[in-house]
Amino acid sequence: MILLDRPYVSSFLLQSLQQHHIAAIDTPELQQLQLPQQPDTISTAEASKLLSSDPSTRLLCNSENSIGWISDHLSNTPLPEKIRLFKDKCAFRDLLKDAFPDFFYAEIPAEQLAQTDTSAWSWPVIVKPAVGFFSMAVHRVENAEQWPAIVEKIHREIDVFRTEYPQQVLDASRFIVEHCIEGEEYAIDAYYNDVGEPVILNVLHHRFTGGNDVSDRVYTTSAEMVFQLHDSLNELLSVIGKTADLVNFPVHLEVRITAEGQVVPIELNPMRFAGWCTTDIAYHAHGINPYFYYFDNQKPDWEQIAALSGDRLTSFVILDRPADVPVEKIKGFDYVAILEELEQPVELRKVNYRNYPVFGIVFAHTLPDEQEELDHLLRADMHDFIELV
């Protein structure tokens, strides 16, 4: 079964639920979504009873927002504690400190950020909410001189973010400062099967404009990339799964791979795949429906998929709304101009940008030797596509 909630439910997800007879839990949040297609539903009472009595029953969330439901209705199961282990970035670092004994991190209450003694730190560092989402209030700090200005910026940001997400998704009362891991960043959609083995459903390369970029603009995948990275990523997933005793458990893991080839975890988001239904990219890229694979306990044959798909790239581009443009000043957004930037756009998903800091999401195919368009959109100024009142 699945918990559906804001901010976004894709048509692909709704069709998948319908085709595979996956029931959505009938919550007030589901009713408020006013979806164009109503999925099969199961009552909260029935869902709670089934999930509590049968540990093999699989649950998936499309959004971080649903974590609160699990805490409220499944407190008699191990799920809330396992979710806490991963949503709390400090607890996650504590969980893996034996596997990464040399990794520096520190927990700091928000009100003490400005007074923190940074003299012993090794720069640069990353600072972010202990419980956070979608690169909110995440900053790279190069040196001690930058620290006061970054702290001021963080306090301004969290005043805005607190109104958009529940505390289980964004808890800005505590922050974690940790060593800045240099290397390429990847996001992995995976699940732990019925015997606790990790199953990788997709790997996404997170592109950045440079070392100080912490945005979520462009992610790219290819079957060849998944195949090449599979074993090293699977090894880390196995360590996490055994340490936390994970079974029938979906995850979205973010890592960095250093120049020496070490895979270092950044964070793990529990009970879901890539946010805003961007996990659907697996279908565009590899012909894989991640929802079917999870609920059917299936494992992709990445060697075969890579042989069939080759090195073609598939990406999604998040069209973020600039924070400095008041929503009431926006008349519209030029989606046509965005699509014209791409040689092979596959799908455009428009988002209600008046409620969320995103105009939409574009999926596109790209040949490996024609990636200039992705780099251009990565650096594009979204102000250029906004029509003001």
Side-chain angles (χ1 to χ4, degrees), residues 26-47:
D26 192 9
T27 63
E29 290 75 18
L30 172 62
Q31 297 166 14
Q32 292 166 12
L33 285 172
Q34 298 182 326
L35 298 171
Q37 300 170 253
Q38 189 64 25
D40 296 337
T41 59
I42 181 172
S43 70
T44 289
E46 289 178 291

Side-chain angles (χ1 to χ4, degrees), residues 310-345:
D311 56 359
R312 183 191 68 179
L313 304 178
T314 306
S315 305
F316 66 78
V317 182
I318 296 178
L319 310 174
D320 48 289
R321 171 167 56 82
D324 62 350
V325 181
V327 174
E328 61 273 13
K329 297 291 185 181
I330 299 176
K331 183 178 180 181
F333 186 81
D334 195 344
Y335 296 99
V336 173
I338 286 287
L339 294 178
E340 289 175 347
E341 297 276 342
L342 296 162
E343 190 69 29
Q344 297 183 63

Side-chain angles (χ1 to χ4, degrees), residues 280-296:
D280 301 356
I281 193 175
Y283 183 76
H284 290 310
H286 318 303
I288 288 175
N289 187 314
Y291 311 111
F292 291 179
Y293 270 73
Y294 168 61
F295 283 107
D296 286 347

Side-chain angles (χ1 to χ4, degrees), residues 127-202:
V127 57
K128 52 191 173 183
V131 178
F133 173 63
F134 206 48
S135 294
M136 296 183 294
V138 177
H139 293 275
R140 174 177 170 131
V141 191
E142 296 294 335
N143 50 56
E145 288 71 29
Q146 286 186 357
W147 181 251
I150 294 295
V151 170
E152 286 185 21
K153 188 173 183 179
I154 285 172
H155 284 300
R156 290 195 300 269
E157 290 173 343
I158 60 180
D159 286 341
V160 175
F161 294 143
R162 275 185 175 135
T163 66
E164 298 178 348
Y165 295 94
Q167 188 174 12
Q168 293 92 343
V169 175
L170 175 67
D171 180 3
S173 64
R174 297 178 299 119
F175 278 73
I176 182 171
V177 174
E178 59 185 31
H179 174 65
C180 186
I181 310 159
E182 303 295 349
E184 294 299 313
E185 184 167 312
Y186 296 88
I188 301 98
D189 281 342
Y191 74 90
Y192 293 88
N193 64 17
D194 53 348
V195 293
E197 297 171 342
V199 176
I200 293 175
L201 299 177
N202 202 9

Side-chain angles (χ1 to χ4, degrees), residues 1-4 13 17 22 25 51 58-63 66 70 250-251 271-273 279 290-291 294-295:
M1 64 190 77
I2 191 167
L3 280 163
L4 296 178
L13 171 55
L17 300 180
I22 301 166
I25 300 175
L51 289 162
R58 296 201 173 186
L59 176 65
L60 180 69
C61 303
N62 77 302
S63 166
S66 298
I70 296 174
V251 299
M271 299 306 300
R272 69 169 178 89
F273 301 136
T279 190
Y291 311 111
Y294 168 61
F295 283 107

